[in-house]
Amino acid sequence: GAVVSQHPSRVICKSGTSVKIECRSLDFQATTMFWYRQFPKQSLMLMATSNEGSKATYEQGVEKDKFLINHASLTLSTLTVTSAHPEDSSFYICSAFMGDRGSRGYTFGSGTRLTVV
Amino acid sequence: KQEVTQIPAALSVPEGENLVLNCSFTDSAIYNLQWFRQDPGKGLTSLLLIQSSQREQTSGRLNASLDKSSGRSTLYIAASQPGDSATYLCAAGSGTYKYIFGTGTRLKVLA
């Protein structure tokens, strides 16, 4: 149980286009989801916190107009990289909070490798 | 602001060795601490989750300990195998349900 499905796993896009990444909780309702970014040989850095039905909270240094986050339902959060550039090439991964941080923690999607050419 | 550090950054050991990976965090007010494995180009695989009230968790050849007062966690891997080669990440769950990740330890187990 407690599976988060993330799609696509890999995407290559042209510079200037937009890319949408989806993160779905398959067997539970995720009131809060998190989006992380990982550059090569670096650790995961939190980009933003997505709350169902409200605006996302972005970490310092993350452009909210460039990385659009939508959490319209309890099972789906999307991250759209707008006007992508080569420097946006990275590994993006989502995480869902399972509503009981004391015992269940969080579950992560399998990640999306974005390459902007 | 929570900061999580992992030592060593890289480790290469012969097969069969027991090894310890270290994780330290600056803010002891954590909800839990989780250890993950990440294979090259892949997502995260959760290994062990330790609640803030727990001292350790075990799964097979893996044992993770947590000492909140000193801001430390260790991951012990017994009888290492080449298949254990991966990057190991610890993450502290602190503040508004966010996870702060460590810098990772790249492990290579030589056959």
Side-chain angles (χ1 to χ4, degrees):
Chain A
V3 174
V4 170
S5 176
Q6 184 172 345
H7 293 282
S9 58
R10 289 181 178 273
V11 58
I12 300 173
C13 70
K14 291 184 178 180
S15 185
T17 62
S18 294
V19 174
K20 180 184 285 188
I21 302 170
E22 291 190 350
C23 184
R24 292 181 183 273
S25 56
L26 298 186
D27 54 358
F28 66 99
Q29 294 182 330
T31 55
T32 304
M33 289 189 178
F34 304 89
W35 288 94
Y36 295 83
R37 177 170 54 183
Q38 184 180 36
F39 291 109
K41 296 186 179 180
Q42 295 185 26
S43 192
L44 280 75
M45 298 298 295
L46 180 66
M47 298 176 65
T49 302
S50 168
N51 294 299
E52 186 269 335
S54 64
K55 291 184 178 180
T57 303
Y58 291 81
E59 296 298 304
Q60 190 173 8
V62 178
E63 301 175 59
K64 62 180 181 180
D65 293 330
K66 181 168 186 61
F67 299 99
L68 301 180
I69 292 174
N70 184 281
H71 195 158
S73 77
L74 285 171
T75 59
L76 174 65
S77 176
T78 61
L79 168 67
T80 301
V81 183
T82 63
S83 187
H85 289 94
E87 58 265 30
D88 298 323
S89 298
S90 186
F91 185 72
Y92 294 86
I93 191 165
C94 66
S95 170
F97 172 59
M98 292 181 283
D100 181 357
R101 63 182 185 232
S103 64
R104 300 186 69 191
Y106 308 81
T107 187
F108 286 79
S110 54
T112 297
R113 174 75 58 191
L114 170 63
T115 302
V116 185
V117 297
Chain B
K1 179 183 177 183
Q2 177 74 277
E3 293 183 4
V4 182
T5 306
Q6 290 184 245
I7 294 173
L11 184 62
S12 184
V13 301
E15 182 177 8
E17 268 202 14
N18 301 324
L19 53 99
V20 175
L21 307 182
N22 298 291
C23 172
S24 61
F25 46 94
T26 56
D27 185 350
S28 62
I30 61 172
Y31 297 124
N32 56 41
L33 188 134
Q34 198 159 355
W35 282 91
F36 297 88
R37 167 184 174 141
Q38 185 177 32
D39 292 286
K42 300 290 182 62
L44 302 180
T45 300
S46 177
L47 298 174
L48 290 165
L49 169 68
I50 312 176
Q51 319 294 342
S52 60
S53 59
Q54 296 177 324
R55 298 282 293 182
E56 65 177 341
Q57 283 286 332
T58 299
S59 176
R61 294 183 293 109
L62 305 179
N63 175 276
S65 67
L66 175 64
D67 185 343
K68 283 181 57 179
S69 61
S70 66
R72 293 182 179 181
S73 177
T74 61
L75 178 66
Y76 175 82
I77 302 176
S80 58
Q81 302 171 358
D84 295 331
S85 299
T87 295
Y88 290 81
L89 297 166
C90 69
S94 58
T96 58
Y97 317 140
K98 296 189 294 189
Y99 259 150
I100 304 299
F101 280 83
T103 46
T105 294
R106 294 188 303 281
L107 172 66
K108 187 171 185 179
V109 181
L110 306 172

